[in-house]
Amino acid sequence: MNDWPEGWSGDNRGDRYGRGSASAQPESARVMRQVRRGQAAPGQGAYGRQGPSAPPYGNGVPQQQQPYVDGQGYGGDYDSGYNTGQVYGSPGGGGYDGPGDPAGGRGPRPAPNWRKRIKWTAIVVITGLIVTTVSTYFWADSKLNREVDLSKVIDRPEQGDGTNYLIVGSDSRAGLSSEQKKQLHTGSAEGKRTDSMMILHTGSNGDTLISLPRDSDVEIPTFVGSESGKTYKGTGRHVKLNAAYAEDGPELLVRTVEFNTGLRIDHYVEIGFAGFASIVDAVGGVEIDIDKGFKDKYSGADFKAGKQKLNGDQALAFVRTRHAFAASDLQRTKNQQKFLAALAHQVATPATVLNPFKLYPTLGAGLDSLIVDKDMGLYDLGSMFFAMKGVNGGDGTSLNMPISGSSGGNLVWDKAKVKQLVQELNNDEKVTVTGN
């Protein structure tokens, strides 16, 4: 049965406004009679109507149920608390109690759990650092140019204690424009040669940095060509050390150093002119104390004595200068040691490592320009830089390879001192040998 009066039935709405209406005009307003409070009369509904089928207000008002009383039925006072302000409240205070309830009926807000907040903040920060560190590691590792294959080196010495790095500065002009070559005073020679060579030994008894003068007299031993794979028999031929690199690259240089010293080289690191200057500029320059001023038209050096900060161009001129010194290449190797140690110190400072605006440009400039052996990892590279920093800070030893004289313009090594030096390095003992 449809409880709605005739005027509200779904089939008899006419053109009234509302659901299903085809007219845009609303139905005329109806006045709702005043609600009668109090107990309903016998036989009447909640609103004083007679019987269940007699709506008290005429058409348009549905039949109403009786008010709910004590959970048992309908009847009683229709108001049910609407006039007392308790419509949303309760004696137990579970809801809103009107404007006088500042807490909105929810009680006082609990105090913040700072221990929990600090805990989650720390977790988020630590997680972010881990993700950043891991991402940086894989990014940097992918940029390493692992081009040197030390497995091609034959007849290698026995492995000693500690780790030995052969660090090479080449005079490669690769990537330099004509303007840059002029600015850096590099000239335009084709190919590349070694401009500096050093052995860095890291161990438990201090780190040692040994410069190998490029004019050192060495014997070229039997070796296997790095490209051809052909074996070239040694003939006792003596050359300057840098000629070994020019003849067959890093693999022959390592073979020659190992043959003439008896010291096994574990890792190889090489950097060219452009890369060296870029790294110095990336860290914002390197501060160094120059004992005595000098000039050199070949390298473009023009320095006064005293503490000063060198940019990339100036740094390259500083480490390449030899014509300005009476000791020539021996003094240059000392300057190279001094500057490289200062550069490593600058790279490893918190101001660089903790500053992403310096760290990433420095890593990018350095890793793009470095050539290393196939077994070199970022950990090995980091150990090398921190060891060089330690040498600069006085925690290690730096020296030139001991020289006994010269022959045909080549510097001859002191064989007795070299033997003692290599023995101390292989046994990872504190170095007592002194060089020139």
Side-chain angles (χ1 to χ4, degrees):
M1 176 183 291
N2 186 1
D3 291 335
W4 292 93
E6 179 182 355
W8 283 65
S9 68
D11 299 327
N12 189 20
R13 296 177 187 173
D15 293 332
R16 294 175 180 174
Y17 180 78
R19 183 164 63 95
S21 173
S23 172
Q25 297 297 326
E27 59 181 314
S28 59
R30 293 187 298 273
V31 178
M32 187 175 182
R33 296 181 180 181
Q34 183 177 5
V35 177
R36 178 183 178 184
R37 295 189 179 94
Q39 183 68 35
Q44 291 184 335
Y47 302 101
R49 65 185 180 187
Q50 278 293 335
S53 60
Y57 306 123
N59 294 339
V61 180
Q63 180 177 344
Q64 303 294 320
Q65 299 290 339
Q66 292 182 347
Y68 190 75
V69 177
D70 299 329
Q72 300 297 323
Y74 290 87
D77 189 0
Y78 171 77
D79 189 353
S80 300
Y82 277 80
N83 280 349
T84 66
Q86 302 296 322
V87 65
Y88 300 112
S90 67
Y96 177 72
D97 289 329
D101 181 11
R106 291 169 295 185
R109 179 176 296 178
N113 189 336
W114 289 108
R115 179 177 298 178
K116 186 175 182 180
R117 290 187 180 185
I118 293 173
K119 172 187 173 181
W120 281 106
T121 300
I123 290 175
V124 170
V125 171
I126 292 173
T127 301
L129 289 174
I130 292 175
V131 171
T132 302
T133 301
V134 172
S135 300
T136 300
Y137 178 89
F138 283 105
W139 167 78
D141 187 72
S142 68
K143 294 178 74 67
L144 278 177
N145 300 310
R146 298 181 173 95
E147 299 178 6
V148 180
D149 189 356
L150 296 183
S151 67
K152 295 179 180 179
V153 181
I154 62 172
D155 300 333
R156 309 195 68 186
E158 291 291 331
Q159 179 73 53
D161 296 329
T163 303
N164 300 313
Y165 300 83
L166 181 59
I167 304 171
V168 174
S170 76
D171 64 357
S172 172
R173 280 83 172 167
L176 291 178
S177 64
S178 298
E179 183 62 29
Q180 288 174 317
K181 291 177 183 178
K182 182 178 179 181
Q183 179 181 345
L184 298 175
H185 298 270
T186 64
S188 300
E190 295 297 328
K192 61 179 182 179
R193 288 151 292 278
T194 52
D195 207 54
S196 62
M197 290 160 284
M198 302 178 188
I199 294 175
L200 174 66
H201 173 85
T202 63
S204 57
N205 284 295
D207 304 314
T208 305
L209 186 62
I210 308 160
S211 286
L212 310 176
R214 57 180 286 179
D215 294 338
S216 297
D217 185 82
V218 294
E219 179 183 342
I220 298 293
T222 298
F223 69 96
V224 175
S226 59
E227 297 294 334
S228 66
K230 180 181 178 180
T231 299
Y232 297 89
K233 292 291 185 180
T235 61
R237 176 168 54 103
H238 280 246
V239 298
K240 292 182 179 181
L241 181 58
N242 66 337
Y245 181 93
E247 187 172 331
D248 197 49
E251 288 84 1
L252 179 55
L253 177 61
V254 171
R255 168 71 175 131
T256 302
V257 170
E258 289 186 342
F259 177 81
N260 285 270
T261 63
L263 187 68
R264 186 184 180 96
I265 300 300
D266 300 297
H267 292 295
Y268 177 91
V269 181
E270 177 186 328
I271 187 170
F273 282 166
F276 180 81
S278 297
I279 293 174
V280 174
D281 286 334
V283 298
V286 176
E287 189 174 87
I288 193 168
D289 192 359
I290 299 177
D291 299 327
K292 185 178 180 181
F294 60 88
K295 291 183 179 182
D296 182 12
K297 65 178 182 179
Y298 296 99
S299 67
D302 186 4
F303 299 108
K304 296 180 180 180
K307 186 175 292 187
Q308 52 203 284
K309 179 173 285 190
L310 307 185
N311 61 27
D313 297 353
Q314 295 169 326
L316 189 57
F318 180 80
V319 299
R320 293 183 60 227
T321 298
R322 63 172 178 163
H323 296 285
F325 310 123
S328 187
D329 201 39
L330 292 177
Q331 181 60 45
R332 177 168 70 169
T333 56
K334 292 180 180 180
N335 286 346
Q336 290 170 348
Q337 285 182 352
K338 183 175 184 178
F339 187 85
L340 289 178
L343 173 60
H345 177 79
Q346 180 70 24
V347 170
T349 57
T352 299
V353 175
L354 300 179
N355 184 352
F357 297 102
K358 276 192 175 183
L359 175 63
Y360 286 100
T362 301
L363 285 175
L367 296 174
D368 281 340
S369 57
L370 288 179
I371 296 175
V372 300
D373 65 272
K374 293 184 179 298
D375 294 326
M376 172 73 84
L378 284 179
Y379 177 81
D380 302 308
L381 195 61
S383 296
M384 184 192 80
F385 274 102
F386 276 99
M388 294 184 70
K389 177 185 177 182
V391 171
N392 180 66
D395 294 333
T397 304
S398 60
L399 67 152
N400 279 327
M401 186 64 82
I403 303 296
S404 62
S406 62
S407 175
N410 296 351
L411 298 174
V412 179
W413 293 349
D414 187 320
K415 292 184 179 180
K417 286 187 175 182
V418 170
K419 183 179 179 179
Q420 181 183 348
L421 173 63
V422 171
Q423 182 177 348
E424 290 174 345
L425 295 177
N426 275 330
N427 295 331
D428 197 21
E429 300 171 349
K430 185 173 179 61
V431 172
T432 60
V433 176
T434 58
N436 300 75

